[in-house]
Amino acid sequence: EAKTALARAVALAPGRAEGQASLGAVLLLAGEEEAAEQALRRALAIDPAMVAAHRNLAAICEATGRDEEARGHRDSAYRRQCVFIEPARRPQMSVLLLTTAGGGNVPVQFLLPRDRCTKVSWVIEHAAGDGENMLPPFDLVFNSMGDADAAEAAAAAVARFLAQCRRPVLNVPERVARTRRDLLPALLGDIPGIAVPAVLRVAADARAGDVMRSGIGLPLVARRVGSHGGQGVRLLGSVEGLEKTLGNAPLYLTQFWPFRSPDGFFRKYRMIFIDRRPLPYHLAIGTQWLVHYATAGMEADPARRTEEALFLADPERAIGARAMDAVLAIGERLDLDFAGVDFAVLADGRALVFEANATMLVHPEDEAGALAYRNEAVQAILEKFTGMVAKRLERG
């Protein structure tokens, strides 16, 4: 409906940058990236200083591997504006979100209800030296830079700000930094009942021989540093394949552990930590080793949905006491106010950790859809987060 209305607006006034940029934003939300990019470029041709168009175009460029162009659009946007305020309809609190321009920020649209919480997003690495003077009053700080790699660019600015901040802070940056993929084996590796594959972070100019001499073995899962959602992830089974993959960008190379269940499916469990305690969020069961909930086909299989519902109702019974104890220990070791862990359960009962960090999306399902049974677990997570925030505000 929004696309139809905005397309009509653009037809009536094609020279208005606002209409072109708004159409581009809606097309981007609808997943029509090519059409969105065309509309956003038309907006910038009319008004090269339009912040919203630069932000959305940067997101498209980044998603399609045009990192340098994405960086240029982000710089063009945030040089002009680095504080964005989303006022609540019935404000009860104001939260300052420390964000980074490079992506990897914690999705907060459902964690912080828009009707009660005013959100102040601050792209802090683009702030001037006295950038905090531009901020409106706030009650709480949420370091939403959940990707340890993306947060590196803002680390110095964040440290300066937090040194003089007198408000409660969620997700202390130093603890987020420890969740970088190549640091997880050392952080979590001594916890009983878990397996953490070896991870190597390599520069763009790395060679296959150097990788193999490091001691990590094939097969390897390769992913670009800073990427999310399985984008561009490849399973490499040969030195030749590794050599072809290296050289384009910094990469994480993770040793692949077989985790197919006896019934032929691959299972990826996700639990969310609120104030260090785990709550079940989803179980994705798929036929491919790269398991993502959106592509696993859960909606089409009642048996798999039933298994997920049992996990959400009683996670310890579903994964076993050994894996559950491991997950509890992971939450304590991460020591974050909000985070999550993706894992499989091996035949010996250990939890095979894929990732553990704060860049975890929590969202409700359509109440009329096949996945509506998940909403009770989602609501439990959201209520737990709301309760934690209330306690931090009380303590001041």
Side-chain angles (χ1 to χ4, degrees), residues 238-357:
S238 67
V239 175
E240 292 76 18
L242 174 60
E243 192 68 61
K244 290 178 182 177
T245 303
L246 295 170
N248 296 319
L251 296 174
Y252 282 122
L253 300 174
T254 304
Q255 191 135 35
F256 179 77
W257 282 46
F259 65 101
R260 189 197 299 265
S261 301
D263 62 0
F265 285 109
F266 294 89
R267 287 167 169 82
K268 186 191 74 174
Y269 300 84
R270 174 171 292 183
M271 299 189 77
I272 298 295
F273 300 109
I274 305 296
D275 201 9
R276 295 145 190 85
R277 303 294 295 177
L279 291 93
Y281 177 62
H282 75 211
L283 164 59
I285 307 171
T287 58
Q288 305 297 319
W289 69 268
L290 187 59
V291 187
H292 283 287
Y293 200 95
T295 58
M298 298 288 289
E299 296 93 333
D301 191 338
R304 282 187 271 170
R305 297 200 302 272
T306 297
E307 182 179 341
E308 182 186 27
L310 292 173
F311 164 67
L312 297 177
D314 190 348
E316 182 170 351
R317 184 175 181 181
I319 67 176
R322 189 180 190 188
M324 190 67 201
D325 288 344
V327 170
L328 287 164
I330 290 170
E332 293 294 332
R333 185 67 60 84
L334 293 178
D335 199 18
L336 291 169
D337 304 289
F338 176 84
V341 60
D342 286 347
F343 63 98
V345 178
L346 299 173
D348 60 6
R350 288 182 297 164
L352 173 65
V353 176
F354 300 131
E355 62 177 314
N357 54 55

Side-chain angles (χ1 to χ4, degrees), residues 10-316:
V10 167
L12 290 169
R16 291 288 299 275
E18 295 89 342
Q20 300 282 5
S22 297
L23 177 60
V26 170
L27 289 167
L28 180 57
L29 288 171
E32 300 177 35
E33 290 187 353
E34 185 175 342
E37 180 170 348
Q38 293 172 2
L40 293 167
R41 291 194 184 281
R42 289 195 298 268
L44 290 174
I46 299 165
D47 181 1
M50 179 165 275
V51 171
H54 278 297
R55 292 177 77 193
N56 284 324
L57 194 51
I60 293 173
C61 291
E62 187 170 56
T64 51
R66 292 171 283 168
D67 294 344
E68 194 63 35
E69 187 177 357
R71 190 175 302 112
H73 285 294
R74 285 197 300 264
D75 289 345
S76 294
Y78 299 128
R79 276 200 308 267
R80 296 175 171 90
Q81 182 181 354
C82 64
V83 176
F84 302 86
I85 302 173
E86 185 181 340
R89 291 189 290 268
R90 298 184 298 276
Q92 297 178 6
M93 63 176 173
S94 178
V95 175
L96 175 64
L97 299 168
L98 303 182
T99 66
T100 179
N105 297 304
V106 179
V108 298
Q109 58 264 47
F110 299 104
L111 293 174
L112 298 169
R114 64 182 303 173
D115 61 331
R116 305 189 304 273
C117 176
T118 291
K119 298 192 242 331
V120 182
S121 298
W122 188 19
V123 187
I124 189 168
E125 74 259 40
H126 284 268
D130 60 346
E132 56 268 25
N133 294 331
M134 302 183 300
L135 299 173
F138 56 90
D139 305 301
L140 179 84
V141 179
F142 184 8
N143 171 37
S144 68
M145 294 181 283
D147 184 319
D149 293 293
E152 290 176 355
V158 171
R160 286 193 300 271
F161 170 69
L162 292 183
Q164 51 82 41
C165 178
R166 296 296 177 264
R167 293 287 185 267
V169 179
L170 300 182
N171 275 14
V172 174
E174 291 82 357
R175 297 171 192 164
V176 171
R178 302 185 305 168
T179 65
R180 214 173 75 177
R181 286 183 184 271
D182 59 324
L183 302 180
L184 274 185
L187 179 64
L188 305 178
D190 64 337
I191 295 176
I194 74 166
V196 189
V199 184
L200 192 65
R201 192 178 195 265
V202 298
D205 59 354
R207 308 299 299 175
D210 300 327
V211 172
M212 301 314 298
R213 282 190 290 274
S214 73
I216 198 168
L218 295 167
L220 292 170
V221 178
R223 57 168 43 86
R224 289 173 58 216
V225 170
S227 66
H228 297 278
Q231 183 184 25
V233 174
R234 298 182 62 191
L235 182 60
L236 308 175
S238 67
V239 175
E240 292 76 18
L242 174 60
E243 192 68 61
K244 290 178 182 177
T245 303
L246 295 170
N248 296 319
L251 296 174
Y252 282 122
L253 300 174
T254 304
Q255 191 135 35
F256 179 77
W257 282 46
F259 65 101
R260 189 197 299 265
S261 301
D263 62 0
F265 285 109
F266 294 89
R267 287 167 169 82
K268 186 191 74 174
Y269 300 84
R270 174 171 292 183
M271 299 189 77
I272 298 295
F273 300 109
I274 305 296
D275 201 9
R276 295 145 190 85
R277 303 294 295 177
L279 291 93
Y281 177 62
H282 75 211
L283 164 59
I285 307 171
T287 58
Q288 305 297 319
W289 69 268
L290 187 59
V291 187
H292 283 287
Y293 200 95
T295 58
M298 298 288 289
E299 296 93 333
D301 191 338
R304 282 187 271 170
R305 297 200 302 272
T306 297
E307 182 179 341
E308 182 186 27
L310 292 173
F311 164 67
L312 297 177
D314 190 348
E316 182 170 351

